[in-house]
Amino acid sequence: MHQLIYALVEAPTEDSALAEARMTFDRLVGATPHDAAVFDYYVTFDMDGHATAGRDRWGDLPVAARVNSTEGQALLERGWTATVAEFERNLEKIRESICEYSTEDVMRDRNLIRHACYNLGAYRGPSLYLYDRHGDGIRDPGHLERVLDTSELWIVPADVHY
């Protein structure tokens, strides 16, 4: 499966923002032995020749955009909206199922209830769409506000596979 994720990084230029974001994305694919992979690979939007990823899948997105620009605000809104929607979807599934199912049903992951609980509590991975420079998922409005309070902030999209 493919999805778009976004790294929010502090940098003076687009090139340095892309380099910072690649370090974030590298952490998320386990590029070094001490990083736990949550995605298989990523493709940024400066890369060509990927028939099923990046621009070929999602269209012509910016390589990087200042968060305070029109493009940057659109990417940020897209990422945050996806994060909130996924959170609400998992929370609703848990609310509907938790009282209906027995302990054994939950243990057996009936209707993927345990998976929904896992996604709701995840710090990284497919249920999150925005990441800070450390590769930590931005899971709540307070974290997002702290990241947005950074000067020279850029948002960099990437197509990830999981």
Side-chain angles (χ1 to χ4, degrees):
M1 306 251 333
H2 287 260
Q3 80 178 59
L4 281 175
I5 64 170
Y6 308 86
L8 292 166
V9 295
E10 187 174 12
T13 66
E14 180 178 317
D15 288 342
S16 57
L18 183 58
E20 286 289 323
R22 282 193 176 133
M23 287 191 291
T24 299
F25 299 138
D26 284 347
R27 287 182 186 104
L28 295 170
V29 298
T32 64
H34 63 276
D35 293 323
V38 291
F39 299 110
D40 300 324
Y41 63 85
Y42 71 89
V43 175
T44 54
F45 285 79
D46 64 325
M47 300 173 170
D48 290 323
H50 296 277
T52 61
R55 284 193 167 107
D56 292 334
R57 178 176 290 274
W58 303 101
D60 195 25
L61 293 179
V63 171
R66 289 193 182 273
V67 168
N68 61 1
S69 71
T70 302
E71 284 182 318
Q73 285 296 301
L75 293 175
L76 180 64
E77 183 177 336
R78 187 174 180 172
W80 184 245
T81 299
T83 297
V84 171
E86 184 68 11
F87 181 86
E88 289 173 345
R89 186 182 71 77
N90 284 300
L91 184 58
E92 186 61 28
K93 182 174 210 158
I94 293 166
R95 284 181 172 153
E96 289 174 356
S97 302
I98 202 73
C99 293
E100 177 184 333
Y101 294 159
S102 68
T103 300
E104 187 175 316
D105 288 337
V106 174
M107 289 177 75
R108 290 184 180 191
D109 200 17
R110 180 174 175 198
N111 198 26
L112 298 176
I113 183 65
R114 286 183 81 165
H115 185 68
C117 291
Y118 174 82
N119 286 338
L120 195 64
Y123 287 84
R124 301 164 71 192
S127 63
L128 297 164
Y129 295 79
L130 294 174
Y131 291 85
D132 65 21
R133 67 184 186 93
H134 304 290
D136 295 328
I138 298 174
R139 300 169 5 123
D140 64 78
H143 187 181
L144 180 59
E145 286 302 317
R146 286 188 300 279
V147 172
L148 291 176
D149 199 30
T150 306
S151 63
E152 297 189 285
L153 193 63
W154 292 77
I155 185 166
V156 180
D159 177 354
V160 293
H161 182 270
Y162 63 97

